[in-house]
Amino acid sequence: MKVGRRESFNAAHRLFKPEWSDEKNLAVFGKCSNPNYHGHNYVLETWVEGPIDPETGFVIDLKELKSIIREEISDKFDHRNLNLDVAEFKERIPTAENIAVVAWNLLRARLPQHLHLKVRLWETENNIVEYEG
Ligand code: NI
């Protein structure tokens, strides 16, 4: 059984490698490398898969999942500049792929081991990445 929860957060980022020239950054990352950052309205879907607990009838209590997502994702990412404000992106470019990996790692650490975790991150209405470890 799979259960999911959707949470959105707004954040700024810039795709940029300091060791590359401005020309190369522009060629690879396009407008996403604009020096003054830009924002996205991200949507993170968190999917948890496992057996239904016969005692509660839940795979996971979605109230509890909501609190974990708030603490690990919303409180850290929402209304932040990912490059400047989030330690995980000091050394890692905040692409949708890397944001999904960081989110997965943060959530994984908080969930019972027997549950399988998958995250799907919507950076725009059209661009989606998915990661499950
Ligand atoms: Ni962008």
Side-chain angles (χ1 to χ4, degrees):
M1 172 68 73
K2 293 180 190 174
V3 299
R5 177 153 180 103
R6 196 182 141 93
E7 284 287 340
S8 53
F9 61 92
N10 306 318
H13 76 166
R14 180 190 184 195
L15 304 184
F16 171 76
K17 273 176 92 80
E19 61 269 39
W20 287 357
S21 67
D22 288 350
E23 291 73 24
K24 180 153 186 195
N25 272 293
L26 189 64
V28 174
F29 296 124
K31 285 193 295 189
C32 277
S33 78
N34 278 348
N36 291 333
Y37 305 95
H38 63 279
H40 291 283
N41 300 318
Y42 292 95
V43 174
L44 182 74
E45 292 178 21
T46 301
W47 287 92
V48 174
E49 182 176 357
I52 300 174
D53 181 334
E55 208 162 85
T56 60
F58 293 151
V59 173
I60 185 171
D61 184 343
L62 283 174
K63 290 191 304 297
E64 192 190 327
L65 183 61
K66 172 183 166 180
S67 303
I68 293 171
I69 297 167
R70 286 271 158 87
E71 289 169 28
E72 298 299 332
I73 308 300
S74 314
D75 290 355
K76 291 177 181 165
F77 296 178
D78 190 36
H79 286 73
R80 304 295 169 130
N81 179 314
L82 297 176
N83 301 71
L84 302 179
D85 299 335
V86 180
E88 283 84 351
F89 299 112
K90 293 274 187 263
E91 306 285 321
R92 195 180 332 213
I93 306 171
T95 57
E97 288 87 335
N98 281 334
I99 298 168
V101 169
V102 167
W104 187 91
N105 286 332
L106 291 167
L107 294 170
R108 179 68 271 175
R110 296 286 306 276
L111 293 170
Q113 275 311 312
H114 75 284
L115 297 175
H116 180 76
L117 171 65
K118 177 171 83 180
V119 296
R120 189 179 290 148
L121 182 71
W122 298 70
E123 188 169 67
T124 68
E125 298 245 323
N126 302 314
N127 295 343
I128 316 147
V129 299
E130 190 174 274
Y131 183 67
E132 49 190 319

